[in-house]
Amino acid sequence: MTQNPSDIDCWRRRLTYRSWHRGTKELDLLFGPFADALIADFDEVELDQFDKLLLAPDPDVYDWIIGRAAPDIEYDTPVLVKIIAFHDQRHA
């Protein structure tokens, strides 16, 4: 079901805020810049994937992003691939 554009904008703002306030500075610095740069172009499916990823345990997410561990199947989404690529490009 398609949401009202103002609802989607509110969802984007909430996700961006949560990206910068994960609880660990390392993940704030991984998620925050990513959300600032790309979330405006996310569709509802990507927003949902990102929302779920933000609920995953911090140590697991950190290991997935830095390549220390393979992501759990439910988190292995195109959004996680985008986050990893975003940080690979920033640190290349």
Side-chain angles (χ1 to χ4, degrees):
M1 179 166 115
T2 303
Q3 293 187 19
N4 178 322
S6 65
D7 292 341
I8 292 175
D9 289 339
C10 183
W11 192 8
R12 286 186 178 112
R13 286 191 302 276
R14 279 194 323 259
L15 291 175
T16 299
Y17 179 85
R18 286 175 45 210
S19 297
W20 281 104
H21 299 88
R22 287 281 305 181
T24 62
K25 194 61 167 172
E26 295 85 359
L27 284 177
D28 292 350
L29 295 173
L30 291 172
F31 279 120
F34 172 81
D36 286 349
L38 300 177
I39 204 166
D41 296 326
F42 277 16
D43 62 21
E44 290 179 47
V45 171
E46 292 169 314
L47 291 170
D48 187 55
Q49 291 173 2
F50 192 51
D51 200 351
K52 288 177 183 168
L53 189 59
L54 289 172
L55 296 173
D58 287 355
D60 294 343
V61 175
Y62 185 76
D63 286 347
W64 302 335
I65 292 173
I66 67 166
R68 189 181 302 163
D72 294 347
I73 192 75
E74 68 263 31
Y75 299 105
D76 193 7
T77 65
V79 169
L80 181 58
V81 171
K82 286 181 182 185
I83 293 169
I84 293 167
F86 179 82
H87 289 291
D88 286 348
Q89 289 175 346
R90 289 183 68 206
H91 295 101

